[in-house]
Amino acid sequence: MAHVCIHWFRKGLRLHDNAALMAALKDCKELYPVFILDPYLHHTQVGINRQRFLIGALKDLDCSLRKLNSRLFVLRGKPEDVFPKLFNMWNVTKLTYEYDTEPYSLRRDEKVASLAKEHGVDVIYKISHTLYNIERIIEENNGKPPLTYKRLQAIVQNLGPPKKPIPAPTLENMRDVKTPHSEKYEDKYRIPTLEELQLDSKFLGEELFPGGEQEALRRLDEHMKRTGWVCSFEKPQTSPNSLSPSTTVLSPYVTFGCLSARTFWWRLTEVYRGRKHSDPPVSLHGQLLWREFFYTCSVGIPNFNKMNQNPVCTQVDWDTNQRNLAAWREARTGFPFIDAIMTQLRQEGWIHHLARHAVACFLTRGDLWISWEEGQKVFEDLLLDGDWALNAGNWQWLSASAFFHQFFRVYSPIAFGKKTDKNGDYIKKYLPLLKKFPPQYIYEPWKAPRSVQQAAGCIVGKDYPHPIVQHEQISKKNIQRMKEAYAKRSSDNNESPIKKQGVKRKTPSVIDMLQKKIRKE
DNA sequence: AAGTTGGTTGATAGA
DNA sequence: GTCTATCAACCAACT
């Protein structure tokens, strides 16, 4: 029996390494590739740069599908409202999609799958957003997510390398598959413009990172050609404030699924083959494993994007200070390094990982003592690669709320950037009003004598703000506050130890068996 | 079971 | 420019 099939694109906006799409093409007579603009996920609060990236990715996908004599159908509304109508209208018999571990997605997909069942529609989903089946990693760790990178590494080492990616469908795969075309479909299911999403494109800067699978693969090729660079890549050695990105900026493409993490992984393996190369955690393979690490945590730890009711998150009495939060968000802290980073973030939608460290530390435990949840919201809005699991995990890391605990190591908003940009060229690029300051004052313009400020054409307090905090004093005070939060944490844990243990496995895990074997030998 | 080890990416001073 | 000790002393996992 030949199926009428909907393939539902959500993340995974690509044709390559798309196992669910390939499953859709099996025994299929009619295929409807669908994308739904979900008001929960694609509301107007999501930044304009991200929306532009999404629209680019959808256009690219539609273009690739048309080359296969198909097309993309874009719909709007809550998926649980949209699907029953589609099931009836198109007489659908099969629904396929890529598995998604986010809490909202799991709830959504459960609803849609049960509606599909009611309509007699088969549901098939495949894992291809992550390197591994995340649940399997947790299982291997006795039902608990590993809380250290080392532990995750041990588990995936025993699981073996990730699955090999599968090729994109070809015209041959599409031979017996039709996508019904109709004049009225063209307008009804077309990709929206920014204006239709109530966004004004006059606020947009140059499109440095266009969305889409083709651009993702082009960018991957471009970087994989740099054999020496790839093999010697060490993330901590890359610069947060170079004038053009010091890393690949493939993250937005992986976030939206324009690039498969497994495709990236295996391309790296090819480049590494027979050559001396760096290793996790600092290598490019290592970066993909960090993603896997935070995905695993986000699945295994309840309330992962919150402080309250989050069992791994240190409870901290963060301040509520709307003025300071706004100053941080809007790049008016008076610290040029911080403000330049926040400007780049807003304009371009991407900043280097270490730049994220600097501004995240500044907002939370370092200076402003504002909750990491506030920073998380701003990043989700502005980052092209804003990813629910990675954003929550990294904010907890940087605020020393979980995973990272050496809270006495505080980034200096003045000294940190100087290591890789002594002249402050990065600051001058993003804060051009400071461009005439001499290098010795560019990181702390308030220290420049009045005459220097006048010569630079920028008076601190008038043209550029005074620093909103005194870093030296406030960071010392904050270290003490962190110390108290940790002390309270351990005393609370002693009173009522948190049951962190997971479900006992019926069968021993691969790791347990391996450890037994090692003990025997 | 208590003590040890290591932790992707701190800042600073001094050799 | 590179390296090391110091600052204070965290947690998770391992032994």
Side-chain angles (χ1 to χ4, degrees):
Chain A
M1 183 201 120
H3 280 283
V4 176
C5 187
I6 291 178
H7 177 74
W8 182 16
F9 285 100
R10 308 92 64 83
K11 294 170 188 169
L13 301 178
R14 64 170 182 270
L15 299 190
H16 74 276
D17 194 31
N18 194 333
L21 177 61
M22 290 308 269
L25 299 180
K26 200 165 178 278
D27 304 321
C28 176
K29 61 175 179 186
E30 288 182 9
L31 173 73
Y32 291 91
V34 158
F35 183 87
I36 300 173
L37 284 164
D38 178 343
Y40 181 85
L41 291 176
H42 308 107
H43 49 77
T44 47
Q45 262 62 52
V46 175
I48 187 162
N49 268 323
R50 274 187 78 134
Q51 300 282 20
R52 174 167 68 175
F53 190 96
L54 173 67
I55 289 170
L58 294 177
K59 280 182 181 165
D60 179 70
L61 195 57
D62 184 47
C63 181
S64 299
L65 286 166
R66 281 173 197 263
K67 285 177 189 158
L68 293 174
N69 301 321
S70 184
R71 62 160 293 172
L72 187 66
F73 294 79
V74 178
L75 294 111
R76 295 166 194 228
K78 287 196 250 173
E80 63 260 40
D81 297 336
V82 171
F83 273 113
K85 290 176 195 159
L86 297 183
F87 292 154
N88 290 331
M89 183 167 61
W90 292 335
N91 295 312
V92 175
T93 61
K94 187 159 84 178
L95 171 68
T96 62
Y97 54 81
E98 179 185 60
Y99 187 60
D100 184 339
T101 55
E102 283 183 33
Y104 169 76
S105 309
L106 288 171
R107 286 197 303 276
R108 173 196 64 192
D109 295 350
E110 197 183 346
K111 274 186 237 164
V112 170
S114 94
L115 286 165
K117 208 178 167 188
E118 284 170 31
H119 287 76
V121 175
D122 296 346
V123 174
I124 296 176
Y125 62 82
K126 300 283 183 185
I127 292 166
S128 52
H129 188 61
T130 46
L131 298 175
Y132 295 92
N133 176 348
I134 299 295
E135 272 91 2
R136 180 96 175 83
I137 295 175
I138 294 172
E139 226 176 88
E140 280 303 323
N141 198 42
N142 296 316
K144 311 164 280 192
L147 295 179
T148 62
Y149 188 87
K150 266 253 146 66
R151 183 74 187 143
L152 178 104
Q153 263 185 299
I155 292 163
V156 300
Q157 225 148 62
N158 288 305
L159 290 177
K163 271 192 189 162
K164 288 242 169 93
I166 59 170
T170 60
L171 280 168
E172 179 58 26
N173 297 121
M174 297 292 288
R175 206 180 48 197
D176 302 319
V177 183
K178 297 274 169 292
T179 295
H181 285 267
S182 155
E183 279 299 313
K184 65 176 183 202
Y185 281 178
E186 286 302 325
D187 197 54
K188 194 172 175 192
Y189 299 117
R190 75 190 156 78
I191 296 162
T193 63
L194 282 171
E195 280 68 27
E196 283 166 338
L197 299 174
Q198 275 111 54
L199 292 162
D200 194 338
S201 51
K202 77 164 178 260
F203 295 114
L204 277 169
E206 193 192 338
E207 192 170 18
L208 296 173
F209 314 109
E213 178 181 17
Q214 294 314 305
E215 173 63 14
L217 295 173
R218 188 203 63 75
R219 206 174 175 87
L220 178 68
D221 282 341
E222 179 186 286
H223 285 289
M224 292 307 102
K225 277 182 202 152
R226 306 163 68 197
T227 310
W229 182 80
V230 168
C231 289
S232 62
F233 185 93
E234 293 190 9
K235 185 64 162 281
Q237 303 307 316
T238 58
S239 165
N241 48 4
S242 49
L243 294 185
S244 58
S246 60
T247 52
T248 65
V249 198
L250 284 167
S251 52
Y253 301 92
V254 176
T255 299
F256 282 82
C258 299
L259 175 63
S260 153
R262 288 170 183 165
T263 300
F264 192 1
W265 176 277
W266 282 101
R267 281 293 294 277
L268 287 165
T269 304
E270 280 171 39
V271 177
Y272 291 156
R273 188 164 294 139
R275 295 186 175 93
K276 192 175 165 247
H277 61 83
S278 56
D279 284 306
V282 296
S283 65
L284 282 165
H285 263 173
Q287 305 314 301
L288 287 167
L289 288 178
W290 278 106
R291 176 170 180 268
E292 215 71 3
F293 174 69
F294 286 125
Y295 262 84
T296 310
C297 290
S298 77
V299 169
I301 298 164
N303 301 305
F304 191 60
N305 64 335
K306 298 182 183 73
M307 179 178 81
N308 288 328
Q309 309 294 315
N310 175 340
V312 304
C313 184
T314 303
Q315 304 295 303
V316 177
D317 61 336
W318 304 112
D319 291 336
T320 308
N321 186 326
Q322 291 304 329
R323 276 187 62 190
N324 280 355
L325 175 59
W328 179 81
R329 189 175 57 226
E330 291 156 22
R332 348 180 226 97
T333 66
F335 290 91
F337 182 56
I338 300 297
D339 294 340
I341 294 167
M342 295 306 286
T343 302
Q344 185 189 14
L345 171 61
R346 184 168 299 276
Q347 284 176 3
E348 302 179 0
W350 181 88
I351 50 178
H352 185 277
H353 190 64
L354 291 178
R356 301 178 198 203
H357 280 213
V359 297
C361 183
F362 186 86
L363 178 72
T364 59
R365 66 188 170 86
D367 297 83
L368 301 187
W369 203 255
I370 289 171
S371 168
W372 59 269
E373 290 179 47
E374 296 297 332
Q376 180 179 234
K377 285 182 215 162
V378 173
F379 273 23
E380 188 182 328
D381 178 24
L382 297 178
L383 278 173
L384 293 175
D385 59 16
D387 178 294
W388 192 86
L390 275 52
N391 201 18
N394 278 307
W395 273 102
Q396 285 172 85
W397 183 293
L398 259 299
S399 61
S401 299
F403 313 115
F404 172 85
H405 307 281
Q406 290 158 296
F407 53 76
F408 37 85
R409 293 189 174 174
V410 176
Y411 290 86
S412 162
I414 296 140
F416 187 64
K418 286 184 186 172
K419 283 193 288 191
T420 43
D421 179 21
K422 223 174 158 223
N423 287 327
D425 293 332
Y426 173 84
I427 290 169
K428 293 175 186 183
K429 176 176 177 182
Y430 291 102
L431 303 175
L433 106 157
L434 296 175
K435 71 175 174 229
K436 287 186 182 162
F437 272 90
Q440 64 184 121
Y441 296 118
I442 188 76
Y443 283 87
E444 26 194 357
W446 62 91
K447 284 192 179 167
R450 187 82 183 176
S451 61
V452 173
Q453 294 184 32
Q454 272 163 348
C458 175
I459 306 297
V460 174
K462 180 166 155 270
D463 305 307
Y464 182 73
H466 280 293
I468 55 172
V469 287
Q470 288 192 286
H471 174 74
E472 286 295 318
Q473 286 93 316
I474 204 91
S475 61
K476 285 201 178 78
K477 189 182 143 202
N478 288 348
I479 288 171
Q480 292 311 307
R481 291 177 86 173
M482 277 313 279
K483 203 176 151 182
E484 286 161 28
Y486 269 85
K488 191 163 180 302
R489 175 187 130 128
S490 31
S491 75
D492 287 356
N493 282 2
N494 285 340
E495 276 166 37
S496 60
I498 294 169
K499 288 267 186 285
K500 276 184 189 168
Q501 81 194 44
V503 190
K504 266 276 170 252
R505 288 170 58 90
K506 290 188 185 79
T507 50
S509 76
V510 174
I511 287 202
D512 293 341
M513 288 193 291
L514 200 93
Q515 280 170 348
K516 256 183 207 160
K517 201 179 144 201
I518 289 166
R519 276 198 289 274
K520 260 189 220 165
E521 279 165 6

